Amino acid sequence: MLEDGFHDVPNGKIAAVVTSLEMFAKPPARPEAEGLDWTLERLPRPAAEDYLALYSAVGRDWLWFTRLVMPREALLATIRDPRVEVYRLEAPGGETGILELDFRQADTCELAYFGVSPGLVGGGAARWMMNRAVERAWSRPIRRFWVHTCTLDHPSAPQFYMRSGFQPFRREVEIADDPRLAGLAPLDSAPHIPVIDADSA
């Protein structure tokens, strides 16, 4: 357990506070705007390159890195597992979104990845996609639907998940190598999180 107070994060690393949220029953669908030109396409056996391009299109500004550092074989084993459902949001203008549901744990669905590309933030696409995520998750005989978010994500993410029916239950601190310094993300990604090189004094 961390004691109260400040704790140094080594140079070259990033740190985030992770909040996990869950629900135990299907909530009502949230209201949506009408006439939306969005579709959700399932990717049953995505190529690693296609998946990572989608993952990065949504997660670049928030320093999503977990799937970027996975060995290719492990990544494919995960995203092609029949108990994992990967969806791509198609929207006008080349904007997109990712929805990934993981049913590998008995009686449980994890909302493993969820987000929209920058041009869709704040325009209702996330709410539209969440309604479909909730519907799809609870179409299975699950007992629990859960998700985690962190302080690297959009600052409104925790409130969005709570408005969608999730309730927080755990808080953790995660420390990891900065993916920008490893060449896994452009150096100008997530400008709200300064890069501190491992060689900095």
Side-chain angles (χ1 to χ4, degrees):
M1 297 292 291
L2 291 176
E3 297 179 358
D4 290 352
F6 292 92
H7 300 272
D8 284 338
V9 176
N11 290 356
K13 302 280 188 177
I14 53 174
V17 178
V18 181
T19 300
S20 295
L21 307 97
E22 63 189 352
M23 63 172 71
F24 292 95
K26 180 182 175 182
R30 297 180 66 198
E32 300 174 358
E34 297 182 359
L36 302 172
D37 191 16
W38 300 324
T39 58
L40 201 58
E41 176 190 4
R42 184 171 180 189
L43 309 177
R45 289 183 59 82
E49 293 75 15
D50 294 340
Y51 174 88
L52 291 175
L54 174 61
Y55 179 90
S56 297
V58 174
R60 170 183 163 170
D61 287 348
W62 314 113
L63 280 191
W64 289 8
F65 65 89
T66 307
R67 292 291 166 79
L68 300 177
V69 301
M70 284 182 75
R72 194 58 55 92
E73 297 77 13
L75 173 64
L76 288 173
T78 298
I79 62 178
R80 293 182 175 180
D81 190 302
R83 297 165 296 175
V84 174
E85 300 182 3
V86 179
Y87 296 88
R88 177 175 56 218
L89 175 69
E90 302 281 0
E95 298 293 344
T96 191
I98 187 171
L99 163 61
E100 186 172 329
L101 301 172
D102 187 339
F103 293 95
R104 289 178 294 176
Q105 182 179 345
D107 303 322
T108 298
C109 178
E110 178 186 0
L111 183 57
Y113 288 99
F114 180 92
V116 296
S117 59
L120 293 177
V121 172
R127 180 187 297 195
W128 182 90
M129 195 164 62
M130 179 59 77
N131 279 345
R132 279 133 193 92
V134 168
E135 184 67 33
R136 181 62 195 156
W138 289 103
S139 71
R140 300 280 196 97
I142 63 170
R143 184 186 63 84
R144 175 175 176 258
F145 187 26
W146 77 283
V147 64
H148 72 265
T149 185
C150 74
T151 49
L152 302 179
D153 283 333
H154 193 288
S156 298
Q159 291 299 319
F160 171 81
Y161 288 125
M162 292 172 68
R163 288 193 299 270
S164 299
F166 294 93
Q167 292 299 317
F169 70 94
R170 183 172 64 212
R171 183 170 290 124
E172 302 165 288
V173 174
E174 180 182 22
I175 297 176
D177 290 334
D178 190 327
R180 297 167 294 190
L181 295 175
L184 297 172
L187 281 173
D188 61 354
S189 301
H192 61 293
I193 303 164
V195 175
I196 303 178
D197 192 280
D199 296 328
S200 298

